[in-house]
Amino acid sequence: MGSRISIEWVVDNRHLFSATLGYKMKNDWDLGLKYRFAGGNPYTPYDLAASQQNYLLLGQGIPDASLLNQNRLSNFNQLDFRVDKKFNFKKTSLGIYLDVQNLLMQKNETKPNFTFKRNEDNTGFVTTNGQPISSDGSNAIPVILYNKTGHPLPSLGLIFEF
């Protein structure tokens, strides 16, 4: 019998949870909360040698197929808040709302990026020998950029029903 290798599926979060809470107040005011949690998605790390050799041609890193989905991003979670006010007329209604996504300013991670180290004024790449970068990137300095961002996203809106 051969050994069996377990490969994670790209959307296998392992854990998913969401909850929604709404409250109707007097005078057509509504409040709402939505919370989401997901375990981190699996991703494939870069083949550093192949990425360095091909980066100038492709503009991106090359995943290491022998390590398919072996790494995992950190868990994702987000809390959203919404308040609505509705104005009713004879045959129409007008709703206004304020919606704030990521109210808690949670920093969530996305897949890392492969690149080469840039110079101070961002006009070129830093090299190990001070010479112009070679076409195969052999004198470049590989860098993995880890992305973790999260800002609240407010929006205002109108809903006209007729």
Side-chain angles (χ1 to χ4, degrees):
M1 294 234 90
S3 64
R4 188 166 184 218
I5 298 173
S6 174
I7 298 175
E8 301 289 337
W9 193 33
V10 72
V11 293
D12 177 19
N13 297 94
R14 291 193 180 161
H15 308 287
L16 292 171
F17 174 79
S18 63
T20 305
L21 177 66
Y23 183 72
K24 283 199 167 292
M25 299 171 56
K26 293 179 182 177
N27 299 321
D28 294 317
W29 284 90
D30 293 327
L31 298 176
L33 288 173
K34 177 171 53 174
Y35 177 75
R36 292 171 296 212
F37 173 87
N41 285 359
Y43 72 94
T44 304
Y46 292 105
D47 178 331
L48 296 179
S51 294
Q52 185 167 359
Q53 185 176 7
N54 293 288
Y55 180 75
L56 292 177
L57 177 65
L58 301 174
Q60 63 185 22
I62 297 176
D64 186 338
S66 69
L67 298 173
L68 187 63
N69 289 339
Q70 294 299 303
N71 289 6
R72 193 170 282 276
L73 299 174
S74 59
N75 295 334
F76 168 89
N77 69 84
Q78 181 170 309
L79 178 68
D80 302 337
F81 170 76
R82 181 168 168 141
V83 60
D84 289 81
K85 169 66 174 149
K86 193 169 193 178
F87 300 94
N88 293 307
F89 306 105
K90 287 184 181 182
K91 294 186 178 183
T92 62
S93 67
L94 176 67
I96 59 172
Y97 66 86
L98 168 65
D99 186 82
V100 181
Q101 294 180 17
N102 198 16
L103 187 67
L104 301 177
M105 297 180 279
Q106 187 69 35
K107 303 256 186 238
N108 291 305
E109 186 178 23
T110 59
K111 185 178 178 230
N113 294 316
F114 179 93
T115 189
F116 290 150
K117 185 175 182 181
R118 308 278 307 184
N119 59 17
E120 290 290 325
D121 60 2
N122 203 28
T123 58
F125 298 110
V126 175
T127 59
T128 56
N129 59 6
Q131 298 296 314
I133 195 165
S134 61
S135 61
D136 67 356
S138 60
N139 62 343
I141 301 170
V143 175
I144 303 291
L145 299 176
Y146 295 93
N147 307 306
K148 201 164 190 175
T149 61
H151 303 284
L153 179 62
S155 60
L156 293 170
L158 296 172
I159 301 170
F160 182 69
E161 296 177 350
F162 55 96

